[in-house]
Amino acid sequence: MKNKKTMITIIALAFMFGLKLVPPITGLTTLGMNIAGIFIGTILLWLYVSTTWPSVLCMVALMLTPLYTYSQVLSGSMGNWITSFVLFSSMVTYALGQTGYLRRLAVWFITRPFAKKNPWAFLGLFFLAPLVIGSFMSPIPTFMIFIPIAEQIFKELGYEKGDRLPQMITLSVLCFASISTITTPIAHTVPLLSMSLFQKDMKTGIDFLSYSAFGVVSALVMYALILLFLKYVFRPDLSKLQNLDIDKLSAGMAPMSVEEKTTLSVFAFVVALWMAPGILKYSMPALATFINNLGTPAPAMIGVVLLSLIKIKGKALMKFDEAMSKGVSWAAVMLVAATMILSSALVDEKVGITAYMVKLISPLIGNLPPMVFVLIVALCTVVMTNFASNTVTVTLIYSIAMPLVLKSAIVGVNPAALTCVIGAGACVAMATPPSTAHAAIAAGTGWLNTDVMFKYGMPISLIGALVLTFVGYPIAAALM
């Protein structure tokens, strides 16, 4: 593995700094070859080596091109709004996670009276919980909240690692933690990345409310279809589950503390500010415009300040340094920063890669019906994201598909709706351990074998692609 990474690193560096020395391919300039080499090399490093230092190397490589100065690279990467959004929203959601409220909410879901009706009613609520909680949390903490609860159930019922039902439950928690990230842009880097790429290209944004309508409906349809898939295709034996004492799961749960309630109130205020422009744009347009002009990162920044200022019993609701070090994925921050400036370089007219790709691909896909094109994009996105980083998937698929739409090589496709499909499709990852961090954690628990993960995770992912095409895309196209 070490030798493989070394070889890929050498090849990637050759692309990044050597392709510009190769005579240009017909239709490309020397600058186009230079940027193409940086793109190919960066993707190789992201896929097979790391998503940390290659992001910094990508920015350095772009500084060395005649396309940008160093200040332009820094302002287009570290200074981009999505980089700030990922940073500050991660701190706010970390503070909420530290209160214990999320576990309380999870237990509340699965101890409803409806859950006692039959095993499938219990499982339906158990799987709905990560979908709801994950709609405003990163999928990794969402997954980590439910795995201890699931393990408590497995041990109480006498299951062992390798048994069929624990594998289905673990896969389902992984699945719905992943799918939850398509519901809203809140704390979800992948949909936000696609939205920011669209805003950069179109000079107009996709508001949170419109995206959330697309995401929530798509996720709920996926939820229903996946439950049917689990019941009639996976077909687990639920006989032991009938003996589960659900009330034990909430034993020892203390009442909500003042700290918990206050942190939740601050988080709700931040979410309200994010949603306000979409809600108020017709009834109170001036206020909606004012809030929108603050910028997307501003509500999260306000939340960070409030959580740091408000003290209860002499203790701040959030320790700033702790939230910065433990709540922020700096690898994600750097990857997003590099992605933003790299994508800008790819579509720059002076580079010529967009025009070249449109000319090359147009004869192959020019006669495709719009919905067939959307389906192909959704399938390619979902399949790729199950084997590669979801942020890399968004960058690559968007960079290939969107120029075809914007340059009219494909007619009749709504670019904003397609952006939503790409961003959401890159979240539908649960078939292999490398697909996401929480997929790797799921495989590492011992409760889910990788062959079962792939055998059932890939069909579930394909169900997601179909839903995004035939349910999500029409909704997004009607709203945007």
Side-chain angles (χ1 to χ4, degrees):
M1 182 61 68
K2 183 178 179 181
N3 291 337
K4 179 182 176 182
K5 287 188 175 183
T6 301
M7 183 60 66
I8 291 173
T9 301
I10 293 171
I11 294 171
L13 291 174
F15 272 108
M16 295 180 77
F17 299 104
L19 196 63
K20 63 183 178 182
L21 304 177
V22 177
I25 299 171
T26 303
L28 282 181
T29 63
T30 300
L31 179 59
M33 295 290 285
N34 193 352
I35 299 301
I38 294 172
F39 175 74
I40 295 170
T42 301
I43 293 293
L44 285 173
L45 291 172
W46 278 343
L47 287 175
Y48 300 109
V49 180
S50 173
T51 56
T52 52
W53 62 265
S55 300
V56 180
L57 179 62
C58 171
M59 290 185 270
V60 172
L62 288 170
M63 290 177 187
L64 298 176
T65 69
L67 183 62
Y68 295 127
T69 64
Y70 78 91
S71 59
Q72 289 173 322
V73 170
L74 290 175
S75 62
S77 55
M78 300 302 295
N80 189 277
W81 72 266
I82 189 175
T83 308
S84 301
F85 180 89
V86 171
L87 171 62
F88 293 110
S89 64
S90 296
M91 295 175 70
V92 174
T93 54
Y94 172 79
L96 181 63
Q98 293 302 106
T99 64
Y101 173 75
L102 299 178
R103 178 176 173 82
R104 182 187 305 280
L105 183 58
V107 172
W108 181 89
F109 260 98
I110 59 181
T111 54
R112 296 304 86 206
F114 178 77
K116 299 178 182 180
K117 288 191 173 183
N118 58 66
W120 276 110
F122 170 77
L123 289 175
L125 287 177
F126 189 83
F127 298 152
L128 180 62
L131 190 62
V132 173
I133 292 175
S135 64
F136 53 86
M137 288 292 296
S138 167
I140 298 175
T142 299
F143 178 78
M144 296 302 293
I145 288 167
F146 283 89
I147 282 303
I149 299 174
E151 289 182 332
Q152 181 180 344
I153 294 170
F154 302 155
K155 292 174 182 177
E156 183 177 334
L157 297 179
Y159 283 108
E160 296 181 357
K161 292 182 178 180
D163 288 345
R164 189 168 173 79
L165 182 63
Q167 296 210 56
M168 187 198 80
I169 291 177
T170 305
L171 175 62
S172 298
V173 173
L174 164 64
C175 165
F176 291 114
S178 294
I179 290 175
S180 72
T181 59
I182 79 173
T183 55
T184 71
I186 299 168
H188 301 146
T189 304
V190 180
L192 273 168
L193 180 56
S194 65
M195 292 165 67
S196 64
L197 292 171
F198 176 82
Q199 182 172 345
K200 174 179 60 62
D201 290 340
M202 303 298 290
K203 310 306 178 187
T204 184
I206 298 172
D207 70 76
F208 274 36
L209 189 63
S210 297
Y211 177 88
S212 297
F214 150 84
V216 169
V217 174
S218 299
L220 289 176
V221 173
M222 288 183 202
Y223 167 78
L225 293 177
I226 292 167
L227 281 183
L228 292 174
F229 176 86
L230 295 172
K231 185 172 183 178
Y232 294 108
V233 178
F234 201 108
R235 302 177 65 183
D237 179 7
L238 303 182
S239 56
K240 285 187 178 181
L241 201 57
Q242 295 176 348
N243 302 321
L244 178 65
D245 184 357
I246 294 175
D247 294 329
K248 282 187 177 180
L249 298 175
S250 58
M253 188 73 70
M256 285 184 70
S257 65
V258 176
E259 294 87 347
E260 192 174 340
K261 292 177 181 178
T262 309
T263 303
L264 179 61
S265 299
V266 172
F267 184 82
F269 173 69
V270 171
V271 172
L273 287 178
W274 278 326
M275 296 296 184
I279 297 172
L280 301 175
K281 62 183 177 182
Y282 299 113
S283 59
M284 304 176 70
L287 180 58
T289 301
F290 171 77
I291 296 174
N292 190 57
N293 288 341
L294 289 175
T296 307
M301 296 169 73
I302 294 170
V304 167
V305 173
L306 290 175
L307 291 169
S308 301
L309 280 176
I310 298 173
K311 293 184 178 182
I312 296 176
K313 297 177 183 178
K315 184 179 179 181
L317 293 176
M318 183 187 76
K319 295 180 180 179
F320 190 94
D321 293 346
E322 179 183 309
M324 282 282 285
S325 60
K326 296 182 179 180
V328 178
S329 171
W330 287 99
V333 170
M334 298 307 297
L335 191 144
V336 166
T339 295
M340 296 313 302
I341 190 62
L342 180 60
S343 63
S344 295
L346 287 172
V347 299
D348 194 296
E349 290 186 0
K350 297 189 291 294
V351 175
I353 292 178
T354 299
Y356 176 76
M357 291 295 295
V358 170
K359 182 179 179 180
L360 189 68
I361 299 177
S362 292
L364 302 176
I365 51 87
N367 296 322
L368 285 179
M371 290 304 294
V372 174
F373 177 74
V374 174
L375 177 60
I376 291 172
V377 170
L379 289 171
C380 289
T381 304
V382 165
V383 170
M384 180 177 175
T385 199
N386 274 287
F387 296 94
S389 163
N390 41 29
T391 45
V392 175
T393 299
V394 167
T395 305
L396 186 59
I397 299 295
Y398 183 96
S399 299
I400 294 173
M402 196 54 63
L404 299 174
V405 175
L406 299 181
K407 298 292 184 180
S408 300
I410 289 287
V411 179
V413 174
N414 183 303
L418 184 64
T419 298
C420 293
V421 169
I422 294 172
C427 299
V428 186
M430 73 280 294
T432 67
S435 61
T436 61
H438 48 295
I441 296 170
T445 63
W447 291 108
L448 177 61
N449 296 339
T450 53
D451 58 337
V452 174
M453 178 188 287
F454 184 81
K455 181 179 179 180
Y456 295 101
M458 187 55 73
I460 289 173
S461 299
L462 297 179
I463 289 172
L466 294 174
V467 171
L468 290 173
T469 300
F470 297 109
V471 177
Y473 175 82
I475 292 173
L479 294 174
M480 304 173 190

